[in-house]
Amino acid sequence: MLIPTVKEAPADAEIPSHKLMLRAGLMRKLASGTYTYLPLGWRCLLKVIGIIRDEMNKARSQAKRIVCLNGLKQLVTAWMTYADNSDSKLVNGGQAPSNTAPVVTETYWCTSLHTAADPGYDWNWDAADCTAGTPVLTYEQRVEKLKKGALYRYCENLKVYRCLEGAKDMHRTYVMPTSMNAWWQGGGSDDYPIGKVAKRLGQIKSSKDRVVFFEERQISPDAFQFPYRIISSNNLCDAPNVMHGSGGNFGFADGHAEYHQYECAATIQWCIIGPSYNATVAADTCFNSVSPPKDRVWLRKATWGD
């Protein structure tokens, strides 16, 4: 690499930074008032540009996170208002019927009460993340079904239902857990105990620690499924998203929303890749029942309360 350093600063160099750059071989004078960067100077310049870009990206990401947190607070407020207007009964946290679940007579929080005559009766996937086939409903149809959901009358701002980091053709990015008046086709087992599913506000203990809304990387037909009992990674189903750095935004039952950052690299990998990552040794290491790490403990407490 060409680094033509000099001991003395040129006579026409007056500014300290100008003198130092010439002496260090970062730049060279071509003509009066005209300079060019030398190889070492270019490396320094690109390094500075990279640092500035990283800081700007962090600031932009933080700004998006704050916007999403504010929107999530509005969604939680809508959830609380529904309960206040329904004699403390929680809105149906499910999203679609399942073959083994009881007949649902309540409107889902985020979509219309399905009937067999409805288009996309048992389908609530998002086009951007659908892995089980071609979506039945268009984006516009999914938005119209969201408007028929139980919470829409309390929160009509469609932007609130999705994170800014979500794919553009996802109509929403938030999901409620099974434990919040939802039902999954595995309900009733030790993994998803019905007795721990809250139906009313009074059944939620330590509301400041109980999550009502998760960010999900793949919006599926069911509620968010994080099992109460974890034997191995094989019974893990849904993965919360890491839309903001190495963590995600969560809405809590007491009305606040906050960002939670995961500590285990395997958790982050699981959140990014999703169910296909469950069978790996790393996921077992992160979620094994013998020595559960902080991430699994936090997710279980946030979902089930203990």
Side-chain angles (χ1 to χ4, degrees), residues 39-285:
L40 184 58
W42 274 114
R43 290 191 62 178
C44 292
L45 178 62
L46 294 176
K47 186 68 174 179
V48 171
I49 292 174
I51 293 174
I52 295 174
R53 183 186 296 112
D54 289 343
E55 293 302 317
M56 290 182 66
N57 288 338
K58 289 179 182 178
R60 187 180 296 109
S61 178
Q62 186 174 11
K64 287 184 177 180
R65 184 193 308 170
I66 293 174
V67 171
C68 292
L69 281 173
N70 289 333
L72 199 49
K73 289 178 183 177
Q74 295 181 50
L75 204 53
V76 177
T77 300
W79 176 81
M80 297 175 70
T81 304
Y82 177 95
D84 290 340
N85 292 346
S86 305
D87 194 26
S88 295
K89 185 176 182 180
L90 301 183
V91 68
N92 189 330
Q95 301 172 174
S98 91
N99 295 330
T100 58
V103 176
V104 176
T105 58
E106 305 168 342
T107 302
Y108 299 98
W109 76 273
C110 60
T111 187
S112 59
L113 180 61
H114 304 274
T115 66
D118 287 341
Y121 161 61
D122 59 351
W123 205 281
N124 203 39
W125 296 88
D126 261 298
D129 294 307
C130 179
T131 58
T134 303
V136 176
L137 304 180
T138 64
Y139 175 85
E140 290 73 18
Q141 287 175 316
R142 282 179 276 127
V143 169
E144 286 305 311
K145 297 197 80 168
L146 187 150
K147 291 181 179 180
K148 295 178 182 178
L151 291 191
Y152 184 74
R153 60 179 295 191
Y154 302 103
C155 182
E156 297 183 351
N157 184 358
L158 290 174
K159 293 181 180 180
V160 167
Y161 292 85
R162 64 182 306 278
C163 172
L164 293 176
E165 297 288 359
K168 292 183 178 180
D169 50 353
M170 291 178 71
H171 71 299
R172 66 182 175 85
T173 58
Y174 299 115
V175 63
M176 293 180 66
T178 306
S179 56
M180 290 296 173
N181 193 24
W183 182 274
W184 180 56
Q185 55 191 4
S189 66
D190 292 336
D191 294 342
Y192 300 91
I194 295 178
K196 286 187 171 293
V197 176
K199 299 291 185 178
R200 309 185 75 85
L201 278 177
Q203 296 175 324
I204 302 175
K205 308 301 181 183
S206 188
S207 59
K208 66 180 179 62
D209 299 320
R210 295 293 300 277
V211 171
V212 178
F213 292 103
F214 288 79
E215 289 177 330
E216 193 175 24
R217 67 175 297 275
Q218 175 179 293
I219 295 298
S220 64
D222 292 306
F224 181 80
Q225 304 160 25
F226 188 82
Y228 179 76
R229 181 191 64 165
I230 301 178
I231 301 175
S232 71
S233 61
N234 292 327
N235 74 328
L236 290 170
C237 293
D238 297 331
N241 210 336
V242 284
M243 289 183 175
H244 303 276
S246 56
N249 291 336
F250 297 85
F252 292 80
D254 68 341
H256 85 282
E258 67 179 49
Y259 172 77
H260 179 79
Q261 183 169 330
Y262 298 112
E263 299 184 13
C264 180
T267 306
I268 299 172
Q269 194 73 0
W270 171 60
C271 292
I272 293 173
I273 298 177
S276 62
Y277 189 68
N278 290 349
T280 65
V281 176
D284 277 324
T285 301

Side-chain angles (χ1 to χ4, degrees), residues 230 284-297:
I230 301 178
D284 277 324
T285 301
C286 192
F287 291 100
N288 71 80
S289 58
V290 178
S291 179
K294 291 182 178 180
D295 291 337
R296 177 204 148 181
V297 172

